[in-house]
């Protein structure tokens, strides 16, 4: 029974079907995909996570070919716009979930959006960046929310500490 023993192929097929369904139901015209970051540090590199991310990205790109416009979003660019930083402050430990916690915090404090998972917060950051690239009006309306002065104020009162 396939449902009892999901294989990589069956889960890939289900994901492709889900992408096709979302395309039709929500009339998706664009897909923004975060560029894949491969950590060159052998102690920090996670092959399983990177491989899965690459496979899912390939499925979306293959489905989107000739149907949906796609573009990759640089981690540094969406973080700079949404979080106000593209590099960790020097006083933050390397092995923390700093970026994930900061994304959740920024969603709540600056955008009044409360999320339960880090991935949701980061996806909203990527969405914000994508919308700012696709819509000049959105960029003009939201740049004040995301500007550097907010982050400077946070850093001055050590609000980046989580």
């Amino acid at each position: 029974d396939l449902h009892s023993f999901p294989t990589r192929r069956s889960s890939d097929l289900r994901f492709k079907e889900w992408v096709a369904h979302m395309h039709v139901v929500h009339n998706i015209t664009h897909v923004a995909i975060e560029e894949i970051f491969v950590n060159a540090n052998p102690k920090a590199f996670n092959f399983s996570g990177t491989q899965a991310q690459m496979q899912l990205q390939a499925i979306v790109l293959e489905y989107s070919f000739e149907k949906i416009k796609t573009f990759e979003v640089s981690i540094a660019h969406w973080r700079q716009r949404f979080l106000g930083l593209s590099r960790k402050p020097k006083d933050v430990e390397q092995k923390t979930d700093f970026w994930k916690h900061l994304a959740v915090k920024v969603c709540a404090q600056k955008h009044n959006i409360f999320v339960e998972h880090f991935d949701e917060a980061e996806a909203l950051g990527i969405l914000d960046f994508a919308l700012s690239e696709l819509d000049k009006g959105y960029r003009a309306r939201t740049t004040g929310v995301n500007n550097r002065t907010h982050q400077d104020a946070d850093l001055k009162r050590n609000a980046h500490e989580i």
Side-chain angles (χ1 to χ4, degrees):
D1 181 25
L2 259 181
H3 300 291
S4 301
F5 300 99
T7 63
R8 182 95 210 140
R9 183 136 173 86
S10 67
S11 63
D12 288 352
L13 181 59
R14 285 195 304 269
F15 181 70
K16 186 174 182 177
E17 290 169 351
W18 178 83
V19 169
H21 177 73
M22 291 293 110
H23 175 225
V24 172
V25 170
H26 297 289
N27 193 27
I28 295 172
T29 58
H30 292 78
V31 173
I33 299 173
E34 185 180 57
E35 288 179 348
I36 294 174
F37 172 75
V38 177
N39 194 333
N41 179 350
K43 293 180 181 175
F45 179 70
N46 179 349
F47 180 77
S48 298
T50 303
Q51 180 187 24
Q53 186 179 8
M54 292 173 84
Q55 288 174 328
L56 295 175
Q57 185 177 26
I59 291 168
V60 170
L61 292 173
E62 187 268 333
Y63 175 82
S64 300
F65 184 71
E66 295 185 8
K67 295 177 186 165
I68 305 171
K69 294 177 184 173
T70 60
F71 61 96
E72 287 187 317
V73 176
S74 158
I75 295 171
H77 287 115
W78 79 256
R79 283 180 177 168
Q80 183 64 51
R81 176 176 161 76
F82 193 70
L83 306 176
L85 294 171
S86 59
R87 295 177 187 234
K88 280 186 188 178
K90 292 180 182 179
D91 60 334
V92 174
E93 291 181 33
Q94 282 300 102
K95 294 185 178 181
T96 66
D97 283 339
F98 170 79
W99 293 115
K100 295 180 181 302
H101 288 286
L102 185 58
V104 170
K105 182 178 175 182
V106 166
C107 281
Q109 289 182 346
K110 295 183 181 157
H111 300 283
N112 202 29
I113 300 171
F114 299 94
V115 298
E116 293 183 31
H117 305 285
F118 298 134
D119 291 340
E120 290 175 284
E122 291 180 332
L124 288 168
I126 294 166
L127 174 64
D128 171 71
F129 181 83
L131 289 172
S132 75
E133 291 295 305
L134 294 169
D135 184 342
K136 290 179 185 179
Y138 177 84
R139 184 179 327 133
R141 287 190 310 277
T142 59
T143 296
V145 173
N146 298 327
N147 69 17
R148 183 67 187 187
T149 59
H150 291 280
Q151 194 63 37
D152 287 344
D154 282 351
L155 287 172
K156 286 177 185 170
R157 64 176 195 269
N158 291 325
H160 68 280
E161 293 178 9
I162 300 164

